[in-house]
Amino acid sequence: MDLFEYQGKQYFARYGIPISAGEVADTVEEAVAAAERVGYPVVVKAQVQVGGRGKAGGVKLAADRGEVELHAGNILGLDIKGHVVRRLWIEHATDIEQEYYASFTLDRAAKLHLAMVSARGGIDIEQVAEEDPGAIARRHVNPLDGLARDDARALAEEAGLDPRALDGAADVLVNLYRCYVEGDADLVEINPLVLTPDGRVHALDAKVTLDDDAAFRHPEWAELDAGGETDAREAMAKQRGLNYIGLDGTVGIIANGAGLAMSTVDVVNQVGGSPANFLDIGGGANADVMASALEVINSDQKVRAILVNIFGGIVRCDEVARGILTALDRVEISSPIVLRLDGTNAGEAREIIAGRASDQVISEATMLSAARRAVELAAAREGHAGDGPANGANGARA
Ligand code: GDP
Ligand code: MN
């Protein structure tokens, strides 16, 4: 889960990382009221989960009420790389002497945490990495050892930070590391981390990605999520306890087991189709789970065919077949369903499906033939207008 800047800053503040006083605002009036409380000059900042807001006109200094009105009015509703601004963060402006970069992330290859610090902050770090890789100081941190303050200070020194910034930067790094580890983040990034003329080191931006697999340890994350930009399909799937990842294609996929689900995505691609999602209904794929899975996929306006690929081991195929029929009774499924069932009780399952007089469910014997069939159906249905509710309302066709 990615946090907005204002959420990331609130998160940093809990770990003692210095940030500016600020407030969120959803309207021009709220922005003005926030600025009056925060004190001028302020920075008016677009809250979207994408970098480069400054360049796109989403970060503006405002010296008085009139300027806040002007900038808030312009930034609200602004489209920044496809993200429409609905919320602002108004914070007290900081005098900047230098802009730095600091982050922690996981280096999976090294199986260690990775700290990165640079004296070239305020700009895109990928650009720095390309143009001047030596300008980024890197250090692996063993999770068993943690990050000592002396090491943090040495890293800041190696990165070429101003001598006046070293102590402040060391404190920020130690706290940022705690925030990253104890807070169960996958990434914490401050760009820019600034040195002020009076020698303070201060976070002016915040990028935080939380590790969703740690959510069970953090009931407080629920409220963060509410403010986040989540895919509507993913939110619906999560509510139903499904392991679902939305993709851009037209073939909806349901499989049991992450391995089989991934293989199914691959095979659909191989035969020239485009998967609409990854969905692993897991080991307990009973009728209810199957019905929920079909409902989530059915809510995706782009889906033109659904491929159900189940290998019955612990899961019994007859249960899966019943689930599909339950789903068909519960909601109107707009797309044809191609079914490949194999393993435990597969024969019984095929009888259950065949017993239902409907040409909406098509059985195929193998994974490959099923994928081909689903891709053909999706392609054919993409070319025709008005052949099902999914084609109606928004007409979003690839
Ligand atoms: P991003 O472009 O999405 O990364 O947004 P940032 O929050 O990093 O802001 C972009 C730039 O705006 C920063 O690199 C700063 O140069 C500038 N900026 C942000 N906050 C302040 C502030 O309080 N005072 C001043 N003078 N500049 C700021
Ligand atoms: Mn930034």
Side-chain angles (χ1 to χ4, degrees), residues 52-53 122 191-192 205-206:
R53 295 167 300 161
N191 188 21
D205 195 4

Side-chain angles (χ1 to χ4, degrees), residues 3-7 10 23-28 30-31 43-49 53 58-59 71-78 80 83-90 223-229:
L3 300 188
F4 286 102
E5 174 197 7
Y6 75 91
Q7 295 172 323
Q10 287 162 359
E23 291 183 23
V24 291
D26 294 342
T27 62
V28 172
E30 284 178 22
V43 195
V44 180
K45 307 188 77 175
Q47 296 302 289
V48 281
Q49 289 171 342
R53 295 167 300 161
V59 178
H71 296 314
N74 287 338
I75 296 174
L76 281 168
L78 188 68
I80 302 181
H83 298 246
V84 177
V85 182
R86 306 249 173 259
R87 177 163 280 185
L88 303 170
W89 171 248
I90 310 293
E223 74 192 65
L224 294 173
D225 209 10
E229 289 171 338

